Amino acid sequence: KHDIWLIGQVTKVKHIEGKQLSVELIDAESQDTSKAPVARIIAFGPKVDLLWSKFFEETGQELGEGIRLRTKISVDFDVKYGLTGRIIEIDPRLTIGAIEAQLKKIRETLKREQLWTKNQILPGPLDYCRIAVIHPSGASGYKDFKSDASILENLGLVKFFYLESTFEGANSESQILQAFQQAFDLHKAKCLDAICIIRG
């Protein structure tokens, strides 16, 4: 039995703390991803949380749909799951490289469309009274933010508008754009002073 390195794009993740991590991968280079073969890799027990937290610490994001992943697996046969790959190690370098490449592409597009410095030349508001908050559902950062923000809101000093959006997975782009559109509609009705984006 030999360990092998597997590279693919994540299509599904199931994480149960301290118990199980299950990841489905497809060939990211496939011309038709809907027909690409799916590989299922898993980890059990204490190793699950170690793999999960280490990936987040090294990449700055949670393991989720759409991410390119390089992982070392041991091929096993499980009575319940059939032929599967047991996760031994995750190499974050491929993921980090893909994230950097995407960020570079976004920056270049913003500069080409002369949008890169637009926000910097806008005058800052004298007071922050109306703020739109774009956040993923149930994120701990959102809960912490809302706990502190509610103090200002209860005093009538600031009005917060909470707009929910996923930040990972196949639908994240459309949901983030939808949240920005909602913020823009709020701004047209009555000017917003800022948009706050809470990642996690």
Side-chain angles (χ1 to χ4, degrees):
K1 185 169 77 170
H2 299 285
D3 299 336
I4 60 171
W5 284 99
L6 191 64
I7 295 175
Q9 182 174 332
V10 178
T11 56
K12 189 175 180 181
V13 175
K14 182 179 180 181
H15 175 218
I16 303 174
E17 288 187 19
K19 293 183 178 180
Q20 180 186 341
L21 174 62
S22 172
V23 182
E24 289 186 2
L25 299 171
I26 61 169
D27 180 4
E29 306 303 325
S30 175
Q31 301 243 337
D32 185 355
T33 55
S34 65
K35 296 180 180 178
V38 176
R40 190 166 187 271
I41 55 177
I42 55 176
F44 295 106
K47 191 177 182 70
V48 166
D49 293 340
L50 180 62
L51 287 166
W52 185 268
S53 59
K54 187 179 179 185
F55 182 84
F56 180 79
E57 287 168 8
E58 295 183 344
T59 65
Q61 67 178 48
E62 291 185 350
L63 185 58
E65 294 177 21
I67 289 174
R68 289 176 65 89
L69 193 68
R70 181 174 186 262
T71 179
K72 182 187 281 188
I73 65 166
S74 172
V75 180
D76 286 331
F77 180 80
D78 186 276
V79 174
K80 182 178 179 180
Y81 298 105
L83 192 65
T84 59
R86 193 171 296 268
I87 305 170
I88 299 170
E89 182 183 346
I90 294 176
D91 179 2
R93 289 175 295 179
L94 177 71
T95 306
I96 292 170
I99 293 170
E100 274 303 315
Q102 183 64 20
L103 286 173
K104 183 179 178 183
K105 184 178 177 181
I106 291 170
R107 292 188 190 107
E108 288 172 351
T109 300
L110 290 172
K111 289 175 181 177
R112 186 171 62 252
E113 296 179 359
Q114 299 182 335
L115 298 171
W116 182 251
T117 58
K118 284 231 171 183
N119 198 50
Q120 297 174 11
I121 62 177
L122 291 173
L126 296 175
D127 297 298
Y128 290 85
C129 300
R130 290 170 55 82
I131 299 175
V133 182
I134 300 175
H135 66 92
S137 176
S140 58
Y142 158 65
K143 292 176 183 176
D144 293 341
F145 179 94
K146 193 169 184 180
S147 176
D148 291 336
S150 63
I151 299 171
L152 297 172
E153 194 156 30
N154 291 337
L155 291 171
L157 298 174
V158 185
K159 175 64 177 173
F160 294 92
F161 301 90
Y162 294 97
L163 310 174
E164 190 174 306
S165 171
T166 60
F167 279 62
E168 297 174 344
N171 298 320
S172 59
E173 183 176 340
S174 61
Q175 288 197 25
I176 290 170
L177 289 173
Q178 185 179 1
F180 271 106
Q181 183 60 54
Q182 289 176 290
F184 182 62
D185 293 340
L186 287 166
H187 182 68
K188 284 195 297 184
K190 187 176 180 181
C191 287
L192 292 172
D193 297 308
I195 297 176
C196 178
I197 301 173
I198 300 174
R199 170 62 180 82

